[in-house]
Amino acid sequence: DARVTQTPRHKVTEMGQEVTMRCQPILGHNTVFWYRQTMMQGLELLAYFRNRAPLDDSGMPKDRFSAEMPDATLATLKIQPSEPRDSAVYFCASGLVGGANQETQYFGPGTRLLVL
Amino acid sequence: KQEVTQIPAALSVPEGENLVLNCSFTDSAIYNLQWFRQDPGKGLTSLLLIQSSQREQTSGRLNASLDKSSGRSTLYIAASQPGDSATYLCALHGGATNKLIFGTGTLLAVQP
């Protein structure tokens, strides 16, 4: 049963600390997305990769956030330094552009981040 | 800028009732539309995807329709069950980038 995995599932940290969230997309998928969900803003796209190349990170605060795909099996989202307003649930999703159901995105369980 | 709105924000119905969830969008130039379900504390599960050239899609007790000209999509749930209780989100693909723009969500509670 292929699924997107995310670690950690929960993270509590203090303001100013670095936070790294990891995502393992479904094997064979060529697109990876990072979303943030808050009560106030709902779901927002932060960054989008295709074939490991960043295609769109316009939704991401550039001064403190960075997203990378070191290899096809790992995507990372880093926040440095973290701030209380970054508290949210961060979702990773993957998909396969060019295959069957190519527009369907498969979501991971999310990382629930709390910055004190 | 595309804006996606879902009405109602919350809905409570007795078990067995048929119900309709609404999704409105401001820009009809969409690639396709997707309905998701989100359970508390969990990720999103894709329910149905409608291509821009289609009018509806069906899966079991779920039927989703799309009317691009009026900027609307509906999700029809037949014979609702307590297990259907969740937040339902619609999302638009704006084009070849595969970016999803999410609606505000409808929180559904089906009472046994």
Side-chain angles (χ1 to χ4, degrees), chain A residues 88-103:
Chain A
V89 182
Y90 291 80
F91 288 104
C92 173
S94 72
L96 178 60
V97 174
N101 297 321
Q102 62 179 314
E103 289 88 8

Side-chain angles (χ1 to χ4, degrees), chain A residues 14-87:
Chain A
E14 293 186 342
M15 183 173 62
Q17 296 298 306
E18 177 179 302
V19 175
T20 299
M21 291 170 272
R22 294 177 174 80
C23 167
Q24 183 172 3
I26 292 174
L27 189 63
H29 282 187
N30 57 9
T31 58
V32 173
F33 305 83
W34 282 104
Y35 293 91
R36 175 171 62 185
Q37 186 176 38
T38 62
M39 288 293 293
M40 295 299 295
Q41 301 296 328
L43 265 162
E44 303 172 285
L45 178 68
L46 297 175
Y48 162 50
F49 291 79
R50 182 180 296 179
N51 296 322
R52 296 177 54 200
L55 288 195
D56 188 342
D57 60 2
S58 59
M60 202 165 65
K62 303 292 191 304
D63 56 339
R64 299 183 299 110
F65 284 61
S66 62
E68 296 178 346
M69 280 201 74
D71 59 61
T73 64
L74 177 64
T76 62
L77 180 67
K78 289 187 181 179
I79 308 174
Q80 170 61 25
S82 58
E83 298 181 0
R85 60 179 167 152
D86 300 329
S87 298

Side-chain angles (χ1 to χ4, degrees), chain B:
Chain B
K1 178 186 174 185
Q2 178 75 273
E3 293 185 5
V4 186
T5 306
Q6 292 185 244
I7 295 173
L11 179 64
S12 180
V13 300
E15 182 177 4
E17 193 163 296
N18 302 325
L19 59 99
V20 175
L21 306 180
N22 296 293
C23 173
S24 301
F25 46 94
T26 55
D27 186 348
S28 62
I30 65 171
Y31 194 59
N32 56 45
L33 184 145
Q34 199 162 359
W35 282 93
F36 290 87
R37 165 189 175 135
Q38 184 175 27
D39 293 285
K42 301 288 181 63
L44 280 70
T45 301
S46 179
L47 298 174
L48 289 164
L49 185 148
I50 311 177
Q51 301 289 348
S52 62
S53 58
Q54 297 175 324
R55 294 296 297 249
E56 65 178 341
Q57 282 286 330
T58 298
S59 176
R61 295 182 293 108
L62 305 180
N63 176 276
S65 68
L66 175 63
D67 183 346
K68 287 200 309 178
S69 61
S70 66
R72 292 187 58 198
S73 175
T74 61
L75 179 66
Y76 175 82
I77 303 177
S80 59
Q81 303 171 357
D84 295 329
S85 299
T87 296
Y88 290 81
L89 296 139
C90 66
L92 307 182
H93 279 102
T97 61
N98 218 19
K99 288 173 64 170
L100 279 175
I101 301 171
F102 280 87
T104 47
T106 294
L107 176 61
L108 173 66
V110 180
Q111 309 298 333

